[in-house]
């Protein structure tokens, strides 16, 4: 079902706008935590990962402060 929605949206900005509008903040925050867990899984972060996460969380409506909180939570969960 998600793949059908993604195929019908056309671009990332449109898809993330749909997520931002339809998904409650708590679930978008949880998504940010999960994305940070993926980035932190190998024990290191690089510039490309930081830039990617900064873009994605902004597109789904999670600000920099909440993204930092999500990163901290992800680090605790990954420890």
């Amino acid at each position: 079902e998600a793949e059908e929605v993604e195929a019908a949206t056309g671009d990332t900005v449109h898809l993330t706008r749909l997520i931002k509008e339809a998904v409650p903040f708590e679930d978008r925050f949880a998504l940010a935590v999960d994305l940070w867990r993926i980035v932190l899984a190998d024990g290191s972060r690089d510039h490309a990962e930081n830039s990617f996460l900064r873009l994605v969380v902004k597109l789904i409506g999670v600000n920099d402060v909440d993204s930092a909180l999500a990163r901290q939570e992800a680090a605790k969960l990954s420890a």
Side-chain angles (χ1 to χ4, degrees), residues 12-28:
T12 302
V13 173
H14 185 244
L15 178 61
T16 55
R17 185 179 307 127
L18 293 174
I19 291 169
K20 187 175 163 180
E21 292 171 356
V23 177
F25 177 79
E26 295 78 21
D27 293 333
R28 291 181 280 127

Side-chain angles (χ1 to χ4, degrees), residues 3-76:
E3 290 173 352
E4 292 172 9
V5 171
E6 191 270 336
T9 59
D11 65 29
T12 302
V13 173
H14 185 244
L15 178 61
T16 55
R17 185 179 307 127
L18 293 174
I19 291 169
K20 187 175 163 180
E21 292 171 356
V23 177
F25 177 79
E26 295 78 21
D27 293 333
R28 291 181 280 127
F29 180 84
L31 175 58
V33 172
D34 290 341
L35 291 170
W36 275 114
R37 288 184 75 190
I38 292 167
V39 167
L40 299 173
D42 64 359
S44 68
R45 290 169 36 202
D46 64 28
H47 179 69
E49 291 171 326
N50 288 335
S51 295
F52 174 75
L53 257 293
R54 190 172 292 124
L55 172 64
V56 171
V57 296
K58 184 178 291 187
L59 288 172
I60 63 170
V62 176
N63 65 36
D64 288 339
V65 172
D66 288 327
S67 178
L69 293 172
R71 185 185 71 242
Q72 291 170 3
E73 186 169 328
K76 286 183 213 172

